């Protein structure tokens, strides 16, 4: 990590998150840029809960969200400035900002969906991430008030809590594609799948009945999508070793599972799963298809044909801050109280 | 009148062909305009083909569309004939509008094409009206308005969306965000980064898609159409796209950089879809090239037809003003002196 | 020009007001053709701000009597779109002054579509709107703007001066495949007269009507000024024989009827509430000059609003609004 003299928090707000077709096809809530800016302002305010003054570095973006955020931060008791970087208006911006933060930040706050978090995780290294959900059906980030998230980040950055104890090491997934089309690798954070649909289209996974197979690095029924389907059969915590491999069938047979799951916001389905087994870190899980699309974290990413897709789960992902744990420890350590706890009693 | 199932291989080939047809039509129109063959203004759709074809493919033949000043692509996507379109560009009698409309006003109401439009933002109210008509007659039809990012700043666009949303009309509002309103970048015209956020004000779904990917447009419009037909009201779709040519032919384009143009050209909706089809084994490279050649030939034939087609008779200038005959037209037409010194003979004054 | 159905002065008539005549015209046409519908601000629940459409909502339901938001550009545009796709809308613009916010759809879409598309679309829309001062509504609710629309190619403009003309012309307007602007002077809604009750009764658009025959001087009037001119003619009856014509149709204009009258009387006054300069008067006068110059015995006179807006204060309003007294004075000057 970088400069220890001033506790530093990086802020990444993705202006493109939360605007996909699931606003039409499911019950996804809207996350407009005005709301994102308001949330991000709360994050900056939250930083002031920490005992030391925080330096906040904000990613600039093509929509001027970050720029406006910094411009309006005069009355916040923190050193707020813009990260010096080139703006491309693409997901590259997020990765470039995260890469810089990996050198200089003690904690980053990410406002975005699973896609944004995946982009951050590829370059953020070991810097703890506080993830606020502004995206659509999010598995990794949490819907939480910006002030609370900012306060958690401030506490982590000022080192008043034990970072190991308040973070979870999230897993990742990689898909290696060997096919007539689409060969190469695609990476994901929480879920990856193979969809029987000929094109990327509007990107979002709309119909889970099109899944042929996939793998997840975590699983729980409250997680919307593939990890929620798997989680209905067996759960897997984000920091558990390995993950789950999945195969889907047309109908229930002897060794199949029929799962009720929340598949898209606002949509509950019965899903037939022919296989859902624990896979070790690094263990290949292969699914093949004539023509389909590889998905990562709920989005269609690559069209493939005549392909064998091998998913592998890795345990060495980003450090995700568990927000309640931060505050529990802060209380236990008397960080938030103006007087030592003993004297108060 | 066109409807293409892009989920099938035949549909994919047809969608590709139609995009190529637009590209070839507009390439040819641009050249003919530069050569002084075509009068007036032409605004080319090159680069935006995926939006028009993807959207019209997802519509049913009886559905309505309204278009913009950049309307050639919408016409071809809706199934209008390049030959009659080219004749219209030339101002010939056999053109879609008998030579009275030109590039900016091609229409074929019977095919559901309610007209290209020279007024930015004028199409959405018309689409709302067509949707109102369909709803009142309980017809299985929707109306889709194509309009540009520039039009999102027009008041009547918002009025049209408000009406359609309030009355749950079967309408689809599709913004082609080609990044420039004439010569001014989109960010200098709007406070919203995502124009689709406009929808929130009207409590209807709004989202942004990659307009360079025909499959994304197709899927989005298909879903919006289903919503419309279920009586759930309109949808607002923003398709991010780019016009590879200037606002009009002859535009010196001081407002943008070559690098940006090249970056977007690398995402050409036709080339990228063609290569996806080749990768997937739907077509071979040779088949793509022969399709392109076939399309170029069709457009060349259309241009040749248009060049040789008959000019309208000057007296036709007085036709089509009204459904009925109005005495004023006869009276005043009689006073017009022809370039050749003659005067109309069909008057009774 | 004539409509499909000719004039049928049926035997049975009923005394009704202009307001009732307009309402009956709409009711009959909505009964006759299910593609006809009415939309506008407060036309349904409220019954129209001037009570013109009262009762239609109950008879036809809210699908065909649609209350709109206050959004003239939007709903007039929607009317144009609906007309192009097989409906026959009647759009009410509460005050013609509000046309300012809906001109785009009128001048560039409604008026031009048929022509631009080579005749390949119909535009059967009727726009009803109110005009005229006299009720202290001030400048933004009192204008007389019909000249703009009569001037604009592609639009038909009518402005009736009697209950019978209101009913007959509105029915023709609704049946017309062309866009028709129907201008209602709000001060004559209460004026009553005999109106044919035959549902097939219509009046052809493009024909003026001689309301009173005379030999000495012709007053060509519109709307409220038809009644004012008839009153002036009545008052002068012992001295002069005044012919009064209700112009009825602004475009197309019935050149024949007005020229015939000029040839008979040699003296013409044109009375119309639009501002005088570049007004309807000017076109009427031009037609007379072009076609009847040698029949003129005196320069024609124009009576209208003297190029001001309509002021609020009743004393000021009265000053600028033309009336029977102005017509009488003009007749005196000419004879």
């Amino acid at each position: 990590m970088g400069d220890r003299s001033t506790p530093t928090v990086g802020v990444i707000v993705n202006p493109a998150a939360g605007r996909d077709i699931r606003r039409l096809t499911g019950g996804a809530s809207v996350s407009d840029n005005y709301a994102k800016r308001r949330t991000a302002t709360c994050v900056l305010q939250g930083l002031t809960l920490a005992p030391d003054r925080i330096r906040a570095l904000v990613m600039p973006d093509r929509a001027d969200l970050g720029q406006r955020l910094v411009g309006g931060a005069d009355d916040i008791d923190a050193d707020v400035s813009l990260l010096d970087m080139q703006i491309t208006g693409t997901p590259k911006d997020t990765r470039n900002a995260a890469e810089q933060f990996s050198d200089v930040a003690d904690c980053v706050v990410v406002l975005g969906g699973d896609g944004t978090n995946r982009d951050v995780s590829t370059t953020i290294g070991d810097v703890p991430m506080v993830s606020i959900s502004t995206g659509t059906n999010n598995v990794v980030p949490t819907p939480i008030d910006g002030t609370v998230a900012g306060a958690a980040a401030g506490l982590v950055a000022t080192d008043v809590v034990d970072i190991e104890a308040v973070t979870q090491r999230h897993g990742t997934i990689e898909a290696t594609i060997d096919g007539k089309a689409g060969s190469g690798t695609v990476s994901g954070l929480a879920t990856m799948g193979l969809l029987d649909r000929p094109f990327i289209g509007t990107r979002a996974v709309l119909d889970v009945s099109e899944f042929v197979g996939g793998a997840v690095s975590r699983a729980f029924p409250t997680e919307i999508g593939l990890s929620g389907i798997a989680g209905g059969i067996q759960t897997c915590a984000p920091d558990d070793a390995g993950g789950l491999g999945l195969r889907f069938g047309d109908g229930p047979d002897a060794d199949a599972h029929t799962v009720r799951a929340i598949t898209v916001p606002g949509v509950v389905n019965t899903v037939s799963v022919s296989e859902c087994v624990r896979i070790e870190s690094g263990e290949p899980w292969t699914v093949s298809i004539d023509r389909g699309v590889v998905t990562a974290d709920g989005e269609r990413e690559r069209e493939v044909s005549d392909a064998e897709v091998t998913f592998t789960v890795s345990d060495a992902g980003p450090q995700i801050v568990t927000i309640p744990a931060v505050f529990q420890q802060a209380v236990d350590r008397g960080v938030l109280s103006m007087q030592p706890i003993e004297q108060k009693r | 009148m066109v409807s293409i199932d892009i989920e099938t291989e035949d549909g994919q080939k047809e969608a590709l062909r139609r995009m190529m047809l637009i590209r070839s039509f507009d390439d040819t129109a641009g050249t003919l305009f530069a050569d002084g063959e075509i009068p007036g203004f032409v605004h080319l759709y090159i680069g935006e083909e995926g939006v028009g074809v993807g959207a019209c493919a997802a519509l049913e033949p009886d559905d309505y569309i309204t278009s913009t000043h950049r309307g050639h692509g919408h016409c071809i996507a809706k199934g209008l004939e390049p030959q009659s379109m080219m004749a219209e560009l030339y101002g010939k009698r056999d053109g879609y509008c008998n030579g009275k409309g030109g590039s900016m006003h091609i229409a074929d109401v019977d095919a559901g094409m309610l007209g290209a439009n020279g007024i930015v933002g004028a199409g959405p109210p018309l689409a709302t009206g067509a949707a109102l008509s369909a709803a009142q007659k309980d017809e299985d039809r929707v109306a889709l308005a194509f309009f540009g990012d520039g039009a999102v700043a027009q008041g009547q666009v918002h009025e049209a969306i408000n009406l359609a949303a309030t009355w749950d009309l079967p309408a689809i509002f599709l913004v082609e965000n080609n990044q420039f309103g004439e010569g001014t970048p989109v960010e200098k015209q709007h406070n919203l980064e995502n124009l689709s956020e406009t929808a929130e004000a009207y409590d209807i779904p709004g989202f942004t898609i990659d307009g360079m990917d025909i499959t994304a447009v197709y899927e989005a419009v298909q879903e919006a159409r289903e919503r419309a037909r279920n009586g759930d009201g309109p949808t607002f779709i923003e398709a991010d796209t780019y016009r590879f040519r200037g606002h009009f032919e002859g535009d010196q384009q001081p407002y943008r950089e070559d690098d940006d143009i090249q970056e977007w050209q690398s995402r050409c909706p036709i080339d990228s879809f063609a290569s996806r089809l080749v990768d997937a084994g739907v077509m071979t490279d040779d088949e793509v090239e022969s399709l392109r050649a076939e399309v170029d030939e069709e457009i060349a034939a259309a241009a040749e037809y248009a060049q040789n087609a008959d000019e309208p008779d000057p007296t036709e200038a007085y036709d089509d003003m009204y459904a009925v005959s109005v005495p004023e037209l006869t009276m005043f037409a009689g006073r017009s002196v022809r370039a050749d010194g003659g005067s109309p003979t069909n008057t009774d004054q | 020009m004539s409509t499909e159905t000719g004039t049928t002065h049926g035997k049975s008539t009923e005394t009704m007001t202009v307001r009732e005549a307009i309402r009956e015209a709409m009711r009959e046409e909505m009964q006759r053709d299910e593609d006809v519908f009415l939309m506008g601000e407060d036309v349904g629940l409220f019954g129209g701000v001037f009570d013109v459409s009262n009762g239609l909502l109950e008879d036809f339901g809210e699908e065909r009597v649609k209350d709109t938001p206050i959004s003239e550009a939007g709903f007039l545009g929607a009317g144009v779109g609906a007309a192009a796709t097989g409906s026959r809308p009647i759009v009410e613009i509460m005050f013609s002054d509000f046309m300012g916010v809906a001109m785009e759809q009128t001048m560039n879409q409604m008026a031009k579509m048929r022509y631009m598309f080579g005749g390949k679309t119909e535009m059967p829309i009727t726009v009803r709107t109110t005009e005229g001062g006299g009720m202290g509504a001030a400048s933004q609710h009192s204008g007389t703007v019909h000249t703009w629309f009569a001037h604009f190619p592609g639009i038909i403009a009518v402005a009736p001066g009697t209950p019978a003309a209101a009913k007959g012309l509105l029915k023709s307007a609704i049946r017309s495949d062309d866009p028709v602007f129907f201008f209602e002077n709000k001060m004559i809604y209460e004026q009553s007269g005999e109106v044919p009750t035959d549902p097939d009764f219509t009046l052809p658009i493009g024909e003026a009507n001689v309301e009173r025959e005379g030999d000495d001087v012709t007053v060509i009037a519109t709307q409220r000024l038809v009644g004012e001119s008839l009153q002036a003619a009545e008052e002068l009856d012992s001295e002069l024989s005044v012919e009064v014509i209700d112009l009825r149709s602004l475009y197309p204009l019935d050149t024949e009827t007005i020229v015939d009258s000029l040839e008979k009387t040699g003296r013409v006054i044109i009375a119309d509430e639009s501002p005088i300069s570049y007004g309807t008067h000017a076109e009427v006068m031009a037609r007379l000059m072009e076609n009847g110059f040698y029949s003129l015995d005196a320069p024609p006179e124009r009576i209208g609003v003297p190029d001001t807006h309509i002021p609020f204060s009743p004393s000021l309003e009265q000053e600028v609004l033309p009336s029977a007294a102005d017509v009488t004075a003009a007749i005196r000057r000419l004879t």
Side-chain angles (χ1 to χ4, degrees):
Chain A
M1 279 184 241
D3 175 14
R4 303 300 305 180
S5 57
T6 315
T8 301
V9 171
V11 178
I12 291 174
V13 187
N14 178 7
R19 55 170 206 176
D20 73 41
I21 192 173
R22 280 167 292 193
R23 263 130 220 88
L24 169 60
T25 57
S29 59
V30 168
S31 184
D32 61 76
N33 279 352
Y34 180 73
K36 283 178 208 161
R37 206 166 76 238
R38 300 289 304 161
T39 304
T41 304
C42 291
V43 168
L44 297 180
Q45 292 283 8
L47 296 175
T48 63
L49 189 86
D52 299 326
R53 190 178 165 89
I54 305 267
R55 175 170 74 132
L57 283 173
V58 179
M59 176 182 87
D61 58 84
R62 211 183 64 169
D64 277 357
L65 262 176
Q67 292 88 322
R68 289 198 206 184
L69 188 61
V70 172
D74 291 348
D75 59 341
I76 295 172
D77 188 18
D79 300 323
V80 183
S81 57
L82 217 51
L83 185 66
D84 182 16
M85 61 175 275
Q86 207 72 46
I87 304 169
T88 66
T90 69
K92 259 187 267 175
D93 290 348
T94 301
R95 292 197 287 271
N96 292 345
E99 193 168 2
Q100 284 202 49
F101 287 146
S102 71
D103 283 335
V104 301
D106 300 292
C107 186
V108 290
V109 180
V110 181
L111 273 79
D114 283 330
T116 315
N117 278 276
R118 182 180 64 246
D119 286 331
V120 173
S121 71
T122 56
T123 48
I124 197 65
D126 285 336
V127 177
M129 288 167 61
V130 173
S131 295
I132 308 174
S133 174
T134 64
T136 309
N137 58 328
N138 297 309
V139 171
V140 179
T142 328
I144 191 160
D145 174 74
T147 332
V148 174
L155 294 169
V156 170
T158 46
D159 220 11
V160 294
V161 292
D162 173 9
I163 289 170
E164 286 304 314
V166 302
T167 58
Q168 282 187 318
R169 177 71 72 175
H170 203 287
T172 59
I173 315 162
E174 191 168 80
T176 308
I177 301 150
D178 178 13
K180 202 165 118 200
S183 288
T185 59
V186 180
S187 56
L189 194 52
T191 70
M192 292 199 74
L194 186 57
L195 213 54
D196 177 21
R197 180 142 182 119
F199 44 71
I200 284 178
T202 53
R203 303 198 80 89
V205 174
L206 304 179
D207 184 357
V208 293
S209 72
E210 292 169 344
F211 271 122
V212 177
V216 296
S217 65
R218 59 190 285 176
F220 200 72
T222 57
E223 294 168 3
I224 295 174
L226 211 49
S227 63
I229 296 168
I233 300 166
Q234 58 176 305
T235 63
C236 175
D239 57 346
D240 280 356
L244 300 173
L246 293 156
R247 251 181 254 285
F248 295 83
D250 287 335
D253 58 40
D255 56 351
H257 312 269
T258 301
V259 193
R260 293 282 288 161
I262 304 163
T263 53
V264 176
V267 182
V268 176
N269 283 132
T270 302
V271 185
S272 297
V273 182
S274 53
E275 250 184 301
C276 175
V277 297
R278 191 162 280 281
I279 49 176
E280 299 302 318
S281 183
E283 180 188 337
W285 178 260
T286 303
V287 186
S288 54
I289 197 163
D290 291 340
R291 200 169 165 199
V293 178
V294 172
T295 72
D297 297 304
E299 295 209 335
R300 286 173 265 168
E301 291 286 340
R302 189 171 300 179
E303 293 174 2
V304 300
S305 70
D306 283 341
E308 283 205 335
V309 181
T310 302
F311 300 99
T312 46
V313 177
S314 154
D315 295 335
Q319 294 261 58
I320 310 283
V321 173
T322 312
I323 292 169
V326 174
F327 288 97
Q328 186 62 54
Q329 216 178 62
V331 174
D332 291 347
R333 293 182 172 188
V335 176
L336 304 177
S337 168
M338 301 306 282
Q339 297 164 301
I341 290 170
E342 291 75 13
Q343 286 178 19
K344 265 186 161 178
R345 279 173 187 159
Chain B
M1 295 199 221
V2 77
S3 177
I4 305 170
D5 184 357
I6 294 191
E7 318 240 341
T8 66
E9 295 197 353
D10 282 348
Q12 288 158 9
K13 288 182 200 169
E14 175 57 19
L16 180 66
R17 190 184 77 85
R18 235 159 239 285
M19 288 199 288
M20 286 176 167
L21 209 52
I22 296 172
R23 176 68 56 95
S24 182
F25 184 95
D26 268 2
D27 269 335
T28 305
T31 306
L32 292 171
F33 178 79
D35 291 348
E37 288 265 311
I38 293 175
F41 305 128
V42 291
H43 303 84
L44 304 183
Y45 197 61
I46 292 172
E48 305 180 32
E49 296 91 342
V51 185
V53 176
C56 290
L59 296 177
E60 293 299 323
D62 281 348
D63 290 344
Y64 297 111
I65 62 167
T66 65
S67 172
T68 67
H69 56 286
R70 200 175 303 289
H72 304 165
H74 305 140
C75 292
I76 292 175
K78 194 73 173 82
L80 271 60
E81 292 299 329
Q83 184 171 292
S84 304
M85 288 174 59
M86 204 57 99
E88 188 59 37
L89 262 57
Y90 269 87
K92 298 297 179 74
R93 172 188 280 159
D94 286 350
Y96 268 105
C97 308
N98 309 130
K100 288 213 187 73
S103 165
M104 260 192 289
H105 305 299
I106 299 177
D108 184 357
V109 176
D110 290 340
M113 164 60 188
L114 301 181
N117 211 311
I119 305 295
V120 170
L126 300 174
T128 292
L132 175 62
S133 213
Q136 283 190 327
K137 294 169 186 287
D138 203 19
E139 295 170 333
D140 181 23
R141 285 175 150 174
V142 308
L144 180 145
F146 288 104
F147 53 111
D149 45 281
V152 177
Q154 284 280 18
Q156 61 174 329
V157 171
H158 292 262
E159 295 191 28
I161 298 170
N162 181 52
L163 268 187
T166 304
W167 291 346
D168 286 334
L169 297 179
I172 301 167
F173 298 97
L174 176 48
V175 180
E176 300 176 305
N177 182 350
N178 69 13
Q179 316 301 323
F180 295 93
E182 305 209 357
T184 303
V186 65
E187 60 269 21
K188 292 195 184 298
Q189 301 200 36
H190 303 280
N191 198 36
L192 291 178
E193 161 73 2
N194 306 317
L195 298 177
S196 57
E197 288 177 15
T198 299
E200 289 165 35
Y202 303 102
D203 196 13
I204 59 170
F207 53 91
T208 303
I209 54 169
D210 179 3
M212 303 305 269
D213 179 358
I214 184 172
T215 65
V217 181
Y218 173 76
E219 225 174 52
V221 172
Q222 202 178 39
E223 295 288 347
R225 188 184 190 281
E226 199 175 313
R227 174 180 148 84
R229 281 311 308 149
N230 287 341
D232 295 332
T235 298
F236 188 108
I237 304 168
E238 175 190 20
D240 274 332
T241 183
Y242 203 75
R243 63 170 153 74
F244 293 173
R245 302 283 270 261
H247 166 58
F248 54 89
E249 284 308 278
D251 178 0
Q252 297 301 308
Q253 306 179 55
Y255 49 83
R256 62 180 180 182
E257 305 290 331
D258 285 347
D259 283 358
D260 286 342
I261 302 174
Q262 278 160 18
E263 158 98 27
W264 280 90
Q265 278 176 340
S266 71
R267 296 169 54 197
C268 168
I270 299 174
D271 292 347
S272 67
F273 191 56
S275 75
R276 282 156 70 182
L277 294 185
V278 169
D279 285 350
V282 176
M283 298 177 86
T284 64
D285 282 323
D286 286 348
E287 283 169 339
V288 170
E289 281 324 302
S290 66
L291 186 62
R292 211 185 293 270
E294 199 181 287
V295 158
D296 286 345
E297 213 168 290
E298 184 181 340
I299 296 299
E304 197 185 328
Y305 165 83
Q307 279 154 357
N308 297 324
D310 289 343
E311 293 284 344
D313 185 278
T315 56
E316 291 171 30
Y318 308 106
D319 294 344
D320 306 323
M321 276 303 299
Y322 293 93
V324 292
S325 145
V326 165
E328 278 80 354
L329 282 166
T330 318
M331 182 160 73
F332 299 136
R335 302 175 186 178
S336 178
V337 177
R338 290 285 140 69
D340 61 10
S343 105
T345 52
N346 69 334
T347 69
D348 57 4
Q349 293 293 307
Chain C
M1 165 177 173
S2 63
T3 54
E4 291 167 44
T5 316
T7 312
T8 317
H9 281 292
K11 286 170 201 148
S12 79
T13 62
E14 199 180 305
T15 307
M16 58 175 83
T17 61
V18 168
R19 173 185 291 113
E20 288 161 346
I22 293 170
R23 185 188 300 145
E24 283 316 298
M26 289 195 286
R27 190 195 308 280
E28 285 174 12
E29 293 308 301
M30 288 176 78
Q31 273 160 354
R32 179 178 179 268
D33 182 352
E34 61 180 19
D35 290 338
V36 177
F37 70 97
L38 170 68
M39 68 173 159
E41 292 152 4
D42 290 336
V43 297
L45 280 176
F46 198 98
V49 284
F50 292 102
D51 208 29
V52 172
S53 50
N54 198 352
L56 296 181
L57 175 66
E58 289 74 6
D59 288 358
F60 298 101
E62 57 182 23
E63 278 302 301
R64 294 182 66 196
V65 181
K66 292 187 84 69
D67 281 318
T68 64
I70 301 166
S71 179
E72 288 84 1
F75 69 78
L76 188 65
V80 175
T85 53
S87 291
R88 205 166 270 279
I90 307 167
V91 177
E92 179 180 313
I93 300 290
M94 194 185 279
F95 291 88
S96 58
D97 311 79
F98 303 170
M99 278 305 302
V101 293
M103 278 306 277
E104 197 315 284
Q105 286 288 331
T106 303
M107 65 185 285
N108 282 314
Q109 313 301 325
M110 184 199 292
K112 292 178 182 169
M113 263 169 114
R114 173 193 298 280
Y115 189 76
M116 289 193 307
F117 297 176
K120 297 195 186 76
T121 186
E122 304 293 341
M123 189 48 64
I125 184 173
T126 301
V127 182
R128 288 182 41 240
T129 187
T130 66
E131 293 189 306
M135 55 186 293
S139 297
Q140 293 173 346
H141 293 73
S142 303
T144 293
V145 301
H146 52 233
T147 306
W148 305 354
F149 300 88
H151 175 67
F152 209 85
I155 290 173
I156 283 172
V158 298
T162 64
K167 185 177 180 193
L169 287 174
L170 182 54
K171 285 166 68 76
S172 292
I174 295 167
R175 294 183 194 187
S176 167
D177 287 332
D178 288 311
V180 181
F181 269 76
F182 184 88
F183 293 98
E184 303 169 15
N185 182 289
K186 56 177 96 71
M187 299 312 288
I188 61 169
Y189 278 132
E190 278 298 306
Q191 183 181 305
S192 59
E194 291 302 299
V195 178
T197 52
D198 180 355
D200 288 331
F201 162 73
T202 61
L203 287 173
I205 291 170
E207 287 186 11
N209 189 55
V210 179
E211 297 287 327
R212 177 192 169 107
E213 296 204 14
D215 299 318
D216 298 330
V217 58
T218 302
V219 184
I220 300 168
T222 65
Q223 301 178 307
R224 180 179 61 84
L225 292 173
V226 174
E228 297 287 315
S229 302
L230 286 168
Q231 189 192 321
E234 193 63 36
E235 283 163 11
L236 293 167
D237 195 40
S238 57
E239 306 167 42
L240 284 164
S241 168
V242 180
E243 177 144 309
V244 177
I245 294 174
D246 178 0
L247 196 57
R248 287 185 175 172
S249 178
L250 307 173
Y251 193 97
L253 185 60
D254 184 354
T255 311
E256 196 182 330
T257 298
I258 58 175
V259 170
D260 283 353
S261 184
L262 166 65
E263 283 170 356
K264 181 167 63 167
T265 64
R267 291 176 165 80
V268 178
I269 291 152
I270 303 141
D272 177 71
E273 202 180 304
S274 54
I276 294 171
S277 294
Y278 296 91
T280 296
H281 326 75
E283 181 59 32
V284 171
M285 205 183 283
R287 298 285 176 98
L288 294 173
M289 296 294 169
E290 286 172 344
N291 298 282
F293 184 78
Y294 298 106
S295 302
L296 280 167
D297 293 329
E301 286 239 10
R302 292 181 280 180
I303 291 173
V305 171
D307 290 6
T308 65
H309 300 298
I310 307 302
F312 167 64
S313 170
S315 55
L316 297 174
E317 188 178 36
Q318 224 168 5
E319 167 64 23
V320 302
L321 285 182
S323 64
D326 296 297
V327 176
T328 305
I331 292 171
R332 292 237 180 266
R333 285 196 294 273
L334 277 196
T335 52

